[in-house]
Amino acid sequence: YLLTLQDRHAEALTVARAALAMGVEDRWRSHQLLLRTLRDEAIRSGNYQEALAWYEKLNPAIFAGEPQIDPGNIAKAADGAQLLLMAGRRDEAERILESVVAKYAELYTLGSSNYPLTIADVDALILLGRQDEALDALQRHVADRWRVLWRWCTEKNPAHDPLRANARYVQLVDAIRDDLAQQMRDFNESQ
């Protein structure tokens, strides 16, 4: 995560591959972070096989005929579906993405986007081409004070590329940045 935020992609990829090869447990979003590192490299390189193989191996329920989506795999489902889209497996990808959107609506309660759901619904809606709905969902999460992994989920997430130039998207990401800066000022003043 830290290496990715620092744009040290080759090092992040080395760590991710080593951790997955060692069979690291999926605790505290570790697989989500490791797999997304592979996904991002696959998007950069155009070689989707390695990343897809890891997603399918570690999350077979997502890739079943009828995707089994739950709080522990919802973000991984959106990320894996992006790889399927890019690999030309549109029908499978859309089935998973629609399942993510439906399951997110079922699971979401105030504050739950902070953990473990993240903003998987936003990612899925963007990938389905439903940008207005994605922006509405992102606005709901920002208002709900979603902040966990915000840079990873927005600035460092290639799924969000279609919205980068959208003024509303920029405004929402800036609102998070401004809020966190204010929190830091408040904290420093309280010392």
Side-chain angles (χ1 to χ4, degrees):
Y1 173 72
L2 180 60
L3 292 169
T4 297
L5 291 182
Q6 295 173 339
D7 292 324
R8 296 165 55 190
H9 302 294
E11 292 169 85
L13 184 61
T14 298
V15 170
R17 282 178 171 150
L20 290 170
M22 288 187 315
V24 69
E25 288 183 53
D26 189 13
R27 295 180 11 204
W28 297 101
R29 293 189 177 145
S30 58
H31 281 188
Q32 179 187 344
L33 300 173
L34 298 169
L35 290 170
R36 183 173 283 183
T37 301
L38 294 182
R39 181 205 68 174
D40 292 353
E41 176 57 27
I43 291 169
R44 281 190 289 278
S45 72
N47 181 359
Y48 311 112
Q49 293 316 107
E50 175 192 16
L52 272 172
W54 276 110
Y55 272 93
E56 291 171 339
K57 176 182 178 181
L58 296 175
N59 303 284
I62 294 171
F63 299 92
E66 192 60 39
Q68 303 298 310
I69 307 297
D70 60 47
N73 72 12
I74 197 165
K76 292 179 267 190
D79 290 348
Q82 183 174 15
L83 287 172
L84 291 173
L85 279 174
M86 299 189 83
R89 294 164 58 183
R90 178 163 290 285
D91 290 343
E92 292 172 78
E94 288 179 353
R95 186 171 46 254
I96 292 169
L97 293 168
E98 292 291 353
S99 295
V100 167
V101 171
K103 184 55 92 169
Y104 202 101
E106 176 187 320
L107 294 170
Y108 179 77
T109 60
L110 195 62
S112 64
S113 56
N114 276 306
Y115 188 84
L117 301 179
T118 71
I119 58 169
D121 60 335
V122 175
D123 299 349
L125 289 164
I126 293 169
L127 293 168
L128 287 166
R130 295 159 52 185
Q131 294 186 358
D132 289 338
E133 290 176 73
L135 289 166
D136 291 343
L138 182 58
Q139 185 169 347
R140 181 184 71 221
H141 295 307
V142 171
D144 187 15
R145 312 229 4 107
W146 163 74
R147 303 296 184 264
V148 173
L149 301 177
W150 75 274
R151 287 190 64 219
W152 174 270
C153 293
T154 58
E155 293 175 349
K156 300 295 182 179
N157 187 352
H160 288 228
D161 288 351
L163 294 180
R164 300 239 185 263
N166 182 294
R168 186 173 169 208
Y169 179 83
V170 171
Q171 181 183 29
L172 289 166
V173 172
D174 284 347
I176 297 170
R177 186 179 289 106
D178 293 346
D179 176 58
L180 292 172
Q182 183 61 51
Q183 288 183 45
M184 183 60 76
R185 286 190 296 275
D186 293 346
F187 175 79
N188 288 333
E189 289 172 9
S190 72
Q191 299 302 311

